[in-house]
Amino acid sequence: MESRTEDLLKERMSKIKHKVAVLSGKGGVGKSTFTANLALVLSVRGHRVGILDADLHGPSIPKLLGMRGKRMEGEAPVEGPAGVRVVSLDFLLPDDSTPLIWRGPIKAVAIRQLLEKIEWGELDLLLIDLPPGTGDEPLSVMQELPEMDGVLILTSPSELSALVVGRAVGFAKKMGVRILGIAENLSSFTCPRCGETVRIFGEGGGRKMAGEFGVPFLGEVPLDPHLSEDSDRGEPFVLKRPGAPAARAFLELAGRLEQELGLKKP
Ligand code: ADP
């Protein structure tokens, strides 16, 4: 017989049509920035979107979306820009100087609680922002959500060693989770003065990787200093600058993800 908490988790998760975890082989590829902006674009396209900030040691989604200082009331997520519903440990920690010193088993419990105790309501898509690598949190999320749609692997050209992306791909395969695709961040930079586009970190690595691993390539997001500046100020880039090439890149990526998921445009 299943326990009551098992039932609760199932019941709550059953109201979320699609669940996607965003994974990267290593840190600094812009995963949180990417997840936040992708969620905003999907929300603007009419989907009901939530973000679970599962980066327990460095929760950064609230800062990126200008939601710092907000607190969670009861079991409800906090509503952010464009109506994106966010759950993050940042809404629960008493202050910035409180460090989280948790070992594996406690992290697993925390992830489970975040999944089970939250009344997300009806969602079309939940994006789960995982910490970099393939440690405790990704493992817990995959174990708790066997019905997850899949993972999106984010990479940047500079970290495109077969080893790092390969590890993320291998992890997903071992967990029996579908790889929805590989996306690449920081792909190119267009000089604001002369207009020339430079591939600072090399060319086409994400696409090549996707080909090698036989998974879809979902698209690439260029480097845009505004994206970094806006994020630091907590101003949602894609809402503020919808015409910027990086914002359009998110839009295209969102379209491809919709296709992969069979997510119907409302
Ligand atoms: P991760 O979650 O992978 O550790 P972050 O999302 O924290 O990475 O991003 C790392 C830094 O890179 C941040 O300062 C962020 O603003 C910046 N950044 C991410 N993507 C871009 C981009 N496409 N253009 C410019 N800056 C970016």
Side-chain angles (χ1 to χ4, degrees), residues 50-124:
I51 304 177
L52 173 64
D53 186 0
D55 195 341
L56 302 179
H57 293 282
S60 51
I61 296 288
K63 172 153 175 50
L64 292 168
L65 294 179
M67 299 168 75
R68 294 257 22 227
K70 301 230 163 141
R71 315 296 296 166
M72 276 176 64
E73 308 283 343
E75 298 185 327
V78 181
E79 191 156 318
V84 172
R85 292 175 223 171
V86 181
V87 167
S88 170
L89 221 60
D90 193 52
F91 298 141
L92 300 164
L93 290 174
D95 55 62
D96 286 353
S97 56
T98 306
L100 264 183
I101 307 168
W102 285 351
R103 291 186 199 282
I106 309 251
K107 284 198 251 180
V109 173
I111 294 275
R112 179 164 181 115
Q113 297 243 324
L114 284 177
L115 289 169
E116 175 191 285
K117 300 272 180 218
I118 307 298
E119 177 54 282
W120 291 93
E122 302 274 336
L123 282 183
D124 296 309

Side-chain angles (χ1 to χ4, degrees), residues 20-38:
V20 172
V22 185
L23 198 66
S24 70
K26 68 178 189 67
V29 302
K31 189 173 44 52
S32 299
T33 311
F34 177 90
T35 307
N37 282 280
L38 184 63

